[in-house]
Amino acid sequence: MSIWSSLYTGRSGLTAYGDAINVVGDNIANVSTVGFKSGSANFNDILGQRTGGGQNLGAGVKMGSVSQAFGQGSFLQSGGSLDYAIQGGGFFEVVGENDGIEGSYYTRNGRFSLNNEGLMVNQDGLRVQGYQVDANGDATGGVGNIEIGGQSPPVATTIADMNFNLDLDPDQVPVGVAFDPLDPEATSDLQTDMTVYDSLGNPHDVDLYFTQSGAGAWEWHAMVDGAELNGGTPGTPTEIADGTLTFDTNGLLDTETLNASSADFLGATPGQAIQFDFGEAITTDGGDGTGATTQVAGGFSTNSIDQDGREPGDLIDVITAENGTVSGLYSNGETEPLAVLALASFRAPENLRREGDQLWSASRDSGQALLGEAGTSGRGSIASGALEGSNVDLGDELVTLIAYQRAFQANARTISTADEMLTEVNNLKR
């Protein structure tokens, strides 16, 4: 190797270690970047001329590639309902335009939000991908945009589960007359009220009247104001359901009947039937009477009333499970599954193509994205309200920076030494 070659060998070292320092600098600059994955420089030697013995002399070094390290970053608790961190393997898939190129991209930065169309997007407006869900919250169909919002639809009441204790006060005498729908208070012994909903989600007050018809025997009547019914008379109570209850000598519910149930609420679906259920009766339901309506000492009490109707509700918050199921919390108290976040895995993630903005795209060497739910086939779980921080170890990077700086200085010394030798050669003729 000539002295001239030594200059170019030293220059190759300056170039290679200058590029390597740039890699380290990039890591250090992104030590606080959410979802950032560190890189490391790989060096390759360069062959020069062949010697007389048939061996190739080295001609320096070059930086061959930058390896990406996809190790886990630490979690940063953000509290945002649409902030996500992946514990384990996998990437979020986002679709849209990045640097003017439309396509599918992959990221570990789970800082998402909703755009003006109700779609879940990342900070640059790329659309987050996931699965639609069925009524049970199970993922269905292919992967597509995740839409969050809308209303929780109204549900008409069809079942009213109730639990009372029907007992007259010691000084109370049964009315002893037939129940009169036009004068329910005067012709009943006990009274309470509840709320039901029609098909539009409108609430309606229902008064329940109980009249003792014999020892351990009662009849009940459900009444609403006529102003709430088609064809009804305001101020006049109208019956929408009635039935009977009987109790054994232990005060346990033995039989229950529902004679009729139909309500034509204003503007709603007509003929709404409500199943008024007073518990597991011994004869009627084959139960043991425990936990049902009773007739024991202690006076009249309402233990529970639970009905399955509801008014419409607006979205007020979002919660996400570890498997990526996104559910909406609505103002009517309902929680409904909306979508399931999709996670992408790759056979060789280290060969993903870096696209900037914490985005990667699939390459021939990485393989195609394999999409699925969190927690399946090596994909990690999803933590809501947290973000994954950079996996850069600042201490390691500073040590590596010192090593590269020393290597850069040594190669600079090679050049200066070769220059001194050339100066000596030029001085030979003097």
Side-chain angles (χ1 to χ4, degrees), residues 196-221:
V196 300
Y197 295 88
D198 62 27
S199 60
L200 301 175
N202 295 315
H204 300 277
D205 292 327
V206 176
D207 292 314
L208 289 173
Y209 296 95
F210 299 91
T211 302
Q212 192 170 31
S213 57
W218 296 77
E219 60 181 65
W220 60 269
H221 303 267

Side-chain angles (χ1 to χ4, degrees), residues 73-143:
S74 59
F75 279 12
L76 311 172
Q77 298 301 321
S78 66
S81 59
L82 294 180
D83 287 347
Y84 303 116
I86 302 173
Q87 177 67 53
F91 299 81
F92 298 108
E93 182 181 33
V94 293
V95 171
E97 187 176 292
N98 178 60
D99 288 339
I101 300 176
E102 185 79 18
S104 295
Y105 300 93
Y106 307 93
T107 183
R108 297 278 294 196
N109 182 358
R111 178 168 281 162
F112 301 142
S113 60
L114 299 181
N115 66 9
N116 58 4
E117 297 178 343
L119 299 179
M120 188 184 295
V121 296
N122 75 348
Q123 293 173 288
D124 297 312
L126 279 71
R127 303 177 299 279
V128 182
Q129 300 298 286
Y131 301 93
Q132 299 301 313
V133 295
D134 58 21
N136 297 321
D138 297 324
T140 60
V143 175

Side-chain angles (χ1 to χ4, degrees), residues 1-2 5 46-52 54-59:
M1 175 181 290
S2 68
S5 298
I46 301 174
L47 294 180
Q49 66 188 32
R50 187 178 296 274
T51 65
Q55 296 293 325
N56 287 323
L57 291 176

Side-chain angles (χ1 to χ4, degrees), residues 125-372:
L126 279 71
R127 303 177 299 279
V128 182
Q129 300 298 286
Y131 301 93
Q132 299 301 313
V133 295
D134 58 21
N136 297 321
D138 297 324
T140 60
V143 175
N145 298 334
I146 294 179
E147 185 172 359
I148 304 293
Q151 281 191 325
S152 172
V155 174
T157 299
T158 60
I159 298 175
D161 292 319
M162 298 168 290
N163 187 317
F164 303 100
N165 183 53
L166 304 180
D167 180 50
L168 298 179
D169 293 333
D171 58 350
Q172 183 178 353
V173 178
V175 294
V177 297
F179 178 77
D180 182 2
L182 297 179
D183 192 8
E185 293 188 7
T187 57
S188 64
D189 296 305
L190 303 172
Q191 176 190 356
T192 188
D193 57 61
M194 62 177 296
T195 301
V196 300
Y197 295 88
D198 62 27
S199 60
L200 301 175
N202 295 315
H204 300 277
D205 292 327
V206 176
D207 292 314
L208 289 173
Y209 296 95
F210 299 91
T211 302
Q212 192 170 31
S213 57
W218 296 77
E219 60 181 65
W220 60 269
H221 303 267
M223 313 288 291
V224 298
D225 192 299
E228 301 186 49
L229 300 171
N230 291 319
T233 302
T236 300
T238 303
E239 189 172 82
I240 63 170
D242 72 296
T244 62
L245 303 172
T246 65
F247 299 88
D248 65 11
T249 55
N250 293 315
L252 299 178
L253 183 63
D254 185 34
T255 66
E256 61 175 332
T257 64
L258 174 63
N259 297 328
S261 177
S262 180
D264 294 340
F265 293 114
L266 290 174
T269 301
Q272 180 176 337
I274 301 174
Q275 178 68 40
F276 291 88
D277 191 343
F278 294 85
E280 293 288 329
I282 297 173
T283 299
T284 304
D285 302 316
D288 58 10
T290 60
T293 295
T294 57
Q295 182 190 283
V296 296
F300 175 63
S301 64
T302 300
N303 298 322
S304 66
I305 297 178
D306 186 22
Q307 56 82 41
D308 62 350
R310 67 177 187 235
E311 61 187 350
D314 295 320
L315 183 70
I316 57 176
D317 202 359
V318 171
I319 58 174
T320 305
E322 287 187 354
N323 68 349
T325 299
V326 182
S327 299
L329 299 180
Y330 292 87
S331 57
N332 59 3
E334 293 298 311
T335 300
E336 297 183 5
L338 303 174
V340 177
L341 289 165
L343 291 186
S345 62
F346 296 88
R347 294 187 182 278
E350 64 277 4
N351 293 323
L352 287 169
R353 185 182 299 111
R354 186 179 173 186
E355 302 289 354
D357 296 322
Q358 297 97 280
L359 298 175
W360 289 268
S361 62
S363 68
R364 182 183 62 183
D365 293 331
S366 70
Q368 294 300 306
L370 305 174
L371 295 172

Side-chain angles (χ1 to χ4, degrees), residues 31 33-37 72-76 387-392:
V31 70
T33 301
V34 173
F36 180 81
K37 298 302 177 183
Q72 185 77 50
S74 59
F75 279 12
L76 311 172
L387 296 169
E388 184 185 5
S390 170
N391 69 349
V392 173

Side-chain angles (χ1 to χ4, degrees), residues 368-417:
Q368 294 300 306
L370 305 174
L371 295 172
E373 297 181 50
T376 63
S377 301
R379 301 176 186 90
S381 59
I382 294 177
S384 178
L387 296 169
E388 184 185 5
S390 170
N391 69 349
V392 173
D393 187 313
L394 187 57
D396 287 347
E397 296 302 324
L398 292 176
V399 171
T400 302
L401 180 63
I402 293 172
Y404 288 166
Q405 180 185 14
R406 293 302 185 193
F408 186 91
Q409 292 172 336
N411 280 275
R413 176 63 64 185
T414 298
I415 294 174
S416 63
T417 300

